[in-house]
Each structure stands twice: as C-alpha cells, then as structure tokens.
Amino acid sequence: MAEQVKMEKVDRISDLHDSILTHILSFLSTKEAIKTSVLSTRWRYLFDLLPNIDFDLEEDLCRKNIKSYSTDVIENYMCSVDRMLLFCNTTNVSKFGFKCLIKMIGSNRFNGWISAAVDRGVKHLDLSTSVLPSSTLPIFTCKTLVSLKLGKYFVLNVPKDVHLPNLKTLHLHSVGFLNDDSVKRLLSGCPHLEDMVTRKCDLGNIRNFHISHHLLKTLTIRYSYNSYQCWLWINAPNLTSLEYYDRLVAGYSMENLRSLTKAVIDISACKTLRADATTIFKGICDDPSLVLSDTSLQEALCSLPEKVPSCLLHKLKTIKVTNFTDEKDCIG
C-alpha cells in the first residue's frame, strides 16, 4: 500500500518531453502559459519554446473583468511582452500577434518588439495597435514573413527598399496610406502575393489606389473611407476571385482580369456621387460567376442601352432575381 501511495505522487506530466509539454501550453493564452513558469523548475522556461506569441490586452482585461487601464496594469502587460520577445532564448517565432489600442505604449518599445520578432524569423504578424510604426521598421524587409495583418489606425509609410519575398497574405483593416507611392511600393515589394484584403481603409491621402500584381489570386475590398476622389485601378492577370463591397469611387479601371472565375459586386447607394459604374463590369464580363447586389444591378442598368457593356447583353444566359418588390409593395 505504501508503494502504491508513493507511485501516485510521481509527477508524470513533468516527465514528458518538451515538445509534448509545449504542445499542451499552446492551448493556453500566452499570458497563461507564462504563469506556468512558477509551477516548478521543470516548467520555468518551457514557455520560451512556444512558437506562437499572442497578446490581446482588451481580451485579457475583459476576461478579468477589469474596466480601467491603470498604469500598473499596462506596465505589467508590456513586461510580459518584453519577457517573451526580448529576454527569452527562443530561436524561432512562427507568429507574433499583438492587439492593444491604447496610447500608453511607446513607439520605441513597440519597434523593439517587432525587431525582435523579425530577428527570430517570424512568419505571421498580426498587429492591431494605435502605435504609429516608422518607415524604418524591419517589417518591410522581413524575408521570412508569409502573412501580414495590420489593423486599427496604422498609417503606412512604406520605404523605397521594401522587400517581402515570401509574403503571400496581406490583410489591412482600418489603415491609411501616406500617399500613392505607399500602395505601389508595398505591392511591388511583395512578388509572391496571392491574397489581399482591405477593410475600412482610409484612402483620403491617395488619388490612385493602384492594385497591380501578376500573381494575385484573391482580392477583397470592403467599405473604404474618404474614397470619393480616388480612382481604383485593378490589373491582375491571375486574379480568380474579386469581392467588392463599397460606395462608388471617382472612377474605375479593370484590366487583365482574364483568369477571373468569381466576382461579387455590392455597390452601396450614393446620391452625392454619380461615377460611371459600368466600367467595373467591362473588366469582368467574361466571369462565369457574377453576384450583384440590388444597388449594384441598378448601377449596371441605369444607363441602358448605350452604356451597358455589350458582353453583358450578348453573353448573359441566366438571371436569378430574389426578394423582388415593385412600386405597389412600397406604397404604405
């Protein structure tokens, strides 16, 4: 019986291989994984081996039911990031995610985190913060980066030497561009880009939103801000999927969309601006799958018969109308 009791006290979990224990830790949040370092000397440095580092201040505070951003809370949070990125001996970081919209984090500290992640071969960056990045950040010359997701108030000042040779996914949420060159430089510096998404981006500083790329396969544009004076140019010979949910901009140019197999066009009604929306359909008229919202259909047909692209009239074989109402239905 004594031998059986003794065996029950053996810590079999701690005897597992590092790879198994780090796999277990991967199911915890990064901050929770760090806390396991106090369990024993065996666990003290295991969190250093985690390939994915993800910090979300708002989510952490919500989980703890903390409603105010005190200096102590923020400093403790930033020290946790410091410990993971600056003071650990982990050689590789697969993903670094950081979400914090308050302005108490200095740009120097933030830049140091990004530099450390890049130095350790980060492949996936997911950043959402009010800290304004500088154009000298190594984020724009990271050779290992595969996906880049930027959100919430970034203003992209892209340097001339931008080079992201392995980037395939680019998602921009609520970011702004310093000028037209920022867009051109960013896309030209990503030779293997395949997937691009812009959502609620501020186009107020640019006049030509020029998306030109020879390998781009999927493109989604959603709800841009301050785009009424902007021209949208799309030149993507390998593009297979285009989704466009937005108001009319100043003008459109659709070129070399010969590989397109799916297009979803949803143009919001806009009474203050009447751009020629039919130019959108000229570039996608050979698309075998075309989905139009009610307002998009109105824009496409509002200039019959002289302005509707002939390809829509001659190649269109099937029309499906849903949720149809006539004027009688609208009379209250």
Side-chain angles (χ1 to χ4, degrees):
M1 179 67 70
E3 183 178 354
Q4 182 179 358
V5 173
K6 184 177 180 180
M7 289 297 293
E8 289 176 353
K9 293 182 179 180
V10 174
D11 185 358
R12 297 187 181 278
I13 294 180
S14 295
D15 288 338
L16 296 173
H17 192 271
D18 285 357
S19 61
I20 299 177
L21 294 179
T22 53
H23 179 69
I24 295 174
L25 289 180
S26 68
F27 292 95
L28 303 177
S29 69
T30 301
K31 290 205 67 176
E32 290 173 337
I34 293 176
K35 291 179 180 179
T36 63
S37 63
V38 302
L39 294 176
S40 67
T41 55
R42 174 72 176 93
W43 290 80
R44 182 173 299 173
Y45 301 109
L46 278 174
F47 71 90
D48 292 3
L49 304 176
L50 290 173
N52 298 332
I53 302 174
D54 201 345
F55 287 92
D56 188 333
L57 177 59
E58 280 72 21
E59 182 178 333
D60 289 343
L61 296 182
C62 182
R63 187 185 300 115
K64 298 177 181 178
N65 199 25
I66 299 176
K67 298 181 180 180
S68 62
Y69 300 122
S70 68
T71 303
D72 292 339
V73 170
I74 302 305
E75 183 60 30
N76 179 62
Y77 181 79
M78 292 190 293
C79 287
S80 297
V81 184
D82 287 343
R83 187 176 181 183
M84 287 295 294
L85 280 173
L86 303 180
F87 305 133
C88 292
N89 297 319
T90 306
T91 55
N92 294 315
V93 172
S94 178
K95 176 187 176 183
F96 176 47
F98 179 77
K99 296 181 181 180
C100 178
L101 302 184
I102 59 174
K103 298 182 179 180
M104 298 178 66
I105 299 176
S107 58
N108 290 336
R109 199 169 196 170
F110 177 75
N111 293 350
W113 294 340
I114 302 302
S115 298
V118 171
D119 290 341
R120 290 160 61 179
V122 66
K123 295 181 180 179
H124 309 278
L125 273 178
D126 188 351
L127 307 175
S128 183
T129 173
S130 57
V131 178
L132 298 180
S134 66
S135 60
T136 58
L137 274 180
I139 186 178
F140 295 112
T141 55
C142 181
K143 296 180 180 180
T144 58
L145 205 58
V146 175
S147 70
L148 176 61
K149 298 180 180 181
L150 301 177
K152 301 299 181 183
Y153 317 123
F154 268 91
V155 178
L156 291 181
N157 182 11
V158 183
K160 294 181 179 179
D161 62 344
V162 57
H163 184 51
L164 300 169
N166 290 301
L167 192 73
K168 293 186 177 181
T169 300
L170 177 64
H171 290 191
L172 305 176
H173 188 298
S174 301
V175 306
F177 298 95
L178 190 65
N179 48 43
D180 290 13
D181 289 338
S182 293
V183 182
K184 294 179 180 179
R185 290 173 183 171
L186 183 59
L187 291 179
S188 63
C190 307
H192 294 99
L193 186 66
E194 296 181 359
D195 172 45
M196 182 176 178
V197 176
T198 67
R199 181 180 178 87
K200 295 183 179 180
C201 288
D202 189 345
L203 306 183
N205 291 331
I206 63 177
R207 293 294 176 266
N208 293 283
F209 191 34
H210 204 148
I211 301 176
S212 178
H213 200 283
H214 65 293
L215 290 183
L216 190 65
K217 295 181 179 180
T218 61
L219 174 62
T220 301
I221 300 175
R222 290 177 175 266
Y223 316 121
S224 304
Y225 288 115
N226 300 318
S227 59
Y228 56 92
Q229 292 183 338
C230 181
W231 271 73
L232 174 62
W233 304 74
I234 299 179
N235 187 333
N238 280 296
L239 193 70
T240 59
S241 175
L242 170 64
E243 296 187 22
Y244 182 77
Y245 308 84
D246 218 331
R247 290 177 177 268
L248 287 175
V249 297
Y252 298 90
S253 177
M254 305 288 178
E255 301 176 0
N256 297 326
L257 302 183
R258 54 180 176 269
S259 300
L260 200 63
T261 59
K262 174 188 176 183
V264 178
I265 308 297
D266 188 342
I267 301 174
S268 301
C270 182
K271 297 180 180 179
T272 60
L273 177 65
R274 297 298 303 175
D276 185 6
T278 59
T279 55
I280 298 178
F281 305 102
K282 291 179 180 179
I284 60 176
C285 57
D286 291 325
D287 181 12
S289 175
L290 177 61
V291 179
L292 302 178
S293 68
D294 53 352
T295 52
S296 301
L297 184 61
Q298 179 181 353
E299 294 293 344
L301 301 179
C302 66
S303 53
L304 274 171
E306 64 275 10
K307 288 189 178 181
V308 174
S310 58
C311 52
L312 284 180
L313 298 176
H314 296 299
K315 297 184 178 181
L316 187 63
K317 295 181 179 180
T318 304
I319 298 177
K320 181 180 180 180
V321 180
T322 60
N323 299 324
F324 177 79
T325 60
D326 60 16
E327 292 182 357
K328 294 181 180 179
D329 297 321
C330 299
I331 299 176

